[in-house]
Amino acid sequence: MIDREIKVIGFIGLGVMGCSMSKNLLKNKNWNVLVKDLNSNKEKELVNQGAKIASNTREIFTLSDLVITCLPGGDFVRDLYYGKDKYISDIKINQFIIDMSTSQPDLMIKLENEIKIKGAHFADAPIARTRQAAIDGTLAIMVGADKDVYNKILPVLRYMGKDILHCGKSGTGQLTKILNNMILFETVVALSEAANIAEQYGMNVENLYENITKCSGDSFALRNHGLKSIAKNNFPSPAFSSEYALKDLSYALELGQKLNVKMPGALSAENLLKTSIKNGDKDLYFPVMKKYFS
């Protein structure tokens, strides 16, 4: 039974998703939200919503009952806790730590082991869905944690997400997110192949996709990435970029290599994402890979 009351939430990482997630946490007036980001404009935006700016990252760990990190990837998470400032040393007994970045499962297990030694509690809780879902508080959140930790942090997560999934022990949240994204990227490759064939054949791609929504090839990717992006050749920025997609896919490929699992579909998606980046599209919405099949 965990009896620590959560009064102060520290939030590190006010990017495209984190800024909106913090705003939703501020809807609960029983919590004080303390924020820190490299972008001072983002910090000021949150102050206007009722947050307080930490004077430095260490203060986040010193003053918070619960610390949330929402960073660009595992390298940033590793640097935060094990880099020159070693913020792992600032974690206090009974404190809650949640990583909502997309990171490697093995890093999550390492963090949990060391955080438990300190008498604190850890969960990996990566997020899925769009920027609008972050604004609306309807994200999907995949949680890897002990059940009692999950139950304690669930009221906090509900302010940011609609579908909160307890995936199992630490690392399984990240595993679920990484494999979900791998499936998505490979599906976008298939949608792009179909679009390129339809265009060469002289069929309207949007019409093709609309027809397939009534058939067995229907999917979330078809209705969103296909109809809204590929069919319209619309690859905006900022969005979930080719660079971020490649980073997430690399985690899946690392796991496949470690477990000796062949991954031809993922390797095809990796090659297309790398080609997209090489040709200057690293910041564009990742279905832009559709352009690079020839």
Side-chain angles (χ1 to χ4, degrees), residues 208-218 222-223:
L208 171 71
Y209 286 165
E210 287 285 2
N211 290 337
I212 294 175
T213 64
K214 312 299 190 300
C215 304
S216 58
D218 188 22
L222 172 66
R223 292 172 181 267

Side-chain angles (χ1 to χ4, degrees), residues 23-284:
K23 288 178 182 178
N24 284 321
L25 291 176
L26 287 162
K27 292 177 181 178
N28 186 328
K29 303 305 178 184
N30 294 320
W31 297 324
N32 291 314
V33 178
L34 193 63
V35 299
K36 195 63 191 167
D37 193 83
L38 295 175
N39 186 334
S40 61
N41 289 329
K42 289 288 188 180
E43 292 177 333
K44 292 172 184 174
E45 183 179 341
L46 266 296
V47 168
N48 292 335
Q49 300 285 326
K52 296 180 181 179
I53 303 174
S55 58
N56 53 54
T57 302
R58 183 146 277 125
E59 189 174 62
I60 291 277
F61 287 94
T62 302
L63 299 180
S64 302
D65 302 302
L66 183 154
V67 177
I68 295 173
T69 53
C70 190
L71 303 173
D75 290 344
F76 291 85
V77 176
R78 186 181 291 105
D79 185 63
L80 179 75
Y81 289 104
Y82 300 110
K84 61 176 181 142
D85 293 308
K86 290 185 171 60
Y87 291 114
I88 188 80
S89 64
D90 293 294
I91 294 171
K92 310 186 298 272
I93 189 167
N94 274 333
Q95 194 171 38
F96 294 90
I97 308 293
I98 308 176
D99 179 43
M100 303 189 77
S101 323
T102 301
S103 306
Q104 300 91 330
D106 287 353
L107 176 59
M108 300 295 98
I109 294 168
K110 175 180 171 66
L111 272 171
E112 185 195 45
N113 289 339
E114 297 190 25
I115 287 169
K116 276 188 171 181
I117 290 171
K118 292 176 172 290
H121 314 287
F122 178 76
D124 59 283
I127 55 176
R129 296 186 179 147
T130 62
R131 287 177 293 162
Q132 189 61 48
I135 294 168
D136 297 338
T138 57
L139 292 166
I141 304 176
M142 293 145 278
V143 185
D146 291 342
K147 187 68 174 180
D148 57 344
V149 175
Y150 170 78
N151 289 334
K152 186 68 178 181
I153 65 174
L154 184 57
V156 176
L157 299 179
R158 280 181 172 151
Y159 273 83
M160 299 178 284
K162 179 181 178 182
D163 295 305
I164 318 296
L165 317 172
H166 186 222
C167 301
K169 62 184 181 180
S170 180
T172 59
Q174 297 291 357
L175 183 66
T176 303
K177 168 68 183 290
I178 289 164
L179 295 182
N180 172 79
N181 282 11
M182 181 191 76
I183 293 167
L184 172 63
F185 303 150
E186 292 183 39
T187 304
V188 168
V189 171
L191 290 169
S192 298
E193 288 175 337
N196 287 333
I197 290 172
E199 286 174 348
Q200 292 297 317
Y201 195 80
M203 182 177 183
N204 178 272
V205 175
E206 189 169 1
N207 186 36
L208 171 71
Y209 286 165
E210 287 285 2
N211 290 337
I212 294 175
T213 64
K214 312 299 190 300
C215 304
S216 58
D218 188 22
S219 67
F220 175 90
L222 172 66
R223 292 172 181 267
N224 288 272
H225 302 78
L227 279 166
K228 296 177 183 178
S229 179
I230 297 170
K232 300 179 186 299
N233 286 307
N234 177 39
F235 312 111
S237 176
F240 190 58
S241 68
S242 293
E243 188 172 51
Y244 277 4
L246 182 62
K247 180 263 298 179
D248 284 9
L249 186 60
S250 73
Y251 297 156
L253 288 164
E254 285 174 16
L255 283 167
Q257 186 174 30
K258 178 182 177 181
L259 299 171
N260 197 30
V261 176
K262 293 181 179 179
M263 304 172 68
L267 287 170
S268 294
E270 180 193 39
N271 180 61
L272 287 163
L273 288 167
K274 285 182 174 179
T275 303
S276 170
I277 292 167
K278 183 179 178 181
N279 282 275
D281 289 340
K282 71 182 183 69
D283 295 323
L284 297 186

